[in-house]
Amino acid sequence: MRGLGPGLTARRLLPLRFTPRPPGPRLASGQATGALERAMDELLRRAVPPTPAYELREKTPAPAEGQCADFVSFYGGLAETAERAELLGRLARGFGVDHGQVAEQSAGVLQLRQQQREAAVLLQAEDRLRYALVPRYRGLFHHISKLDGGVRFLVQLRADLLEAQALKLVEGPDVREMNGVLKGMLSEWFSSGFLNLERVTWHSPCEVLQKISEAEAVHPVKNWMDMKRRVGPYRRCYFFSHCSTPGEPLVVLHVALTGDISSNIQAIVKECPPSETEEKNTIAAAIFYSISLTQQGLQGVELGTFLIKRVVKELQREFPHLGVFSSLSPIPGFTKWLLGLLNSQVKDHGRNELFTDSECKEISEITGGPTNETLKLLLSSSEWVQSETLVRALQTPLMRLCAWYLYGEKHRGYALNPVANFHLQNGAVLWRINWMADVSLKGITGSCGLMANYRYFLEETGPNSTSYLSSKNIKASEQVLSLVAQFQKNSKL
């Protein structure tokens, strides 16, 4: 993906418009299970259209609408996750690509290349191969998408598939392939040209405000007054909706209009704006502080990146002088990563490669115990922030460790942290790491209160994105690079 990135976890699924059947039996055992499995096989045999011969591909009539509707109705009547997973697994395994046809057409292409036949013959053979590589279930998805509410249904179906994979109810290459095919189809249907940018204000319909509140996955909305602040003066809230479902949020972006790049999230989500009337001359920066996907089935579809780009253009039209764009982002996974390091060093006979000798001495004097063992216990909760002395003592080492976590820890060459990876793919610069930037329980337990700014220099986002994606180079500020250098000097990791 580039995908959705920062905390883009779904909070609410698109509702189905189809009337589901009463809940079906569970996949338990015995006769009921056998009957349900036979019903699934019969349904798939009727609903999944056979692949026409290549010569008849444009002359074969589409399957009756009722066949696709039967699949939707049957699926909606499966109340249990395991039952839906079983049906999706059978669909993936039994109605994919005909591998015999693929082998035959591949051999034909190779033979023609060796014979150096004319281009028209070779191109037709390649087209036959492409046709053979299309799985049968793609035809089912294609025809379902034409039903009223069919795209909604497929978004939910993919959400169910992702959940089943996460729970290991369905596994294997066939299932992964079907997920990829469905993701590709959704990416086409939800491309930027079909998306509408909508702004949310306090005067928006209550239903929209409620959906935005429910969708907020990064900094939960506590009440209506909290929601009013987030769409009021010096704040902007935008979302993408699909042309087929106007007013239905797919991905939501919250923006704070400030005088400088913000370093504390509580100042944005809790404090009241300086006045009820915006003074444009005081606005110098736009801070993207929350982006949330509302539909789990759209994971991996490139919505968040497009939303940020569209919002930047919208803000530039409203504030022509605005030139500073930055995120204020959480750092999920940092505490877990740090606890893992502490745990490994505790097991290795008290070895310490995370803190300097002076830091170990100071922390031990404050806590009254060995540094690694004591911090492992303290950082597992949020109680350590109640000690101002300990907070001051941990600032330098944790800032250093966090800089390395964001800059140096990689997965397949890219940033391990999903939020960092999202913004870096967009071409942002890892600009600043902020201490005690999120003192909420979630912020302290998830990232030791640290947050990061990813700054968007609009003229440089394209080259930065290309450099990151092609060469895996991370563009970072002097502050971050200095902290990374300190880490490398003090650590043997």
Side-chain angles (χ1 to χ4, degrees), residues 23 112 114 154-155 167 336 382 470:
L112 289 172
Q114 291 168 355
L154 291 172
V155 171
L167 295 173
K336 182 179 179 180
S382 61
S470 60

Side-chain angles (χ1 to χ4, degrees), residues 48-83:
V48 183
T51 302
Y54 178 80
E55 291 76 13
L56 302 175
R57 65 194 184 284
E58 295 177 357
K59 300 176 183 178
T60 303
E65 186 175 296
Q67 293 176 230
C68 298
D70 285 347
F71 178 89
V72 171
S73 178
F74 186 96
Y75 187 86
L78 298 175
E80 300 299 320
T81 302
E83 294 169 351

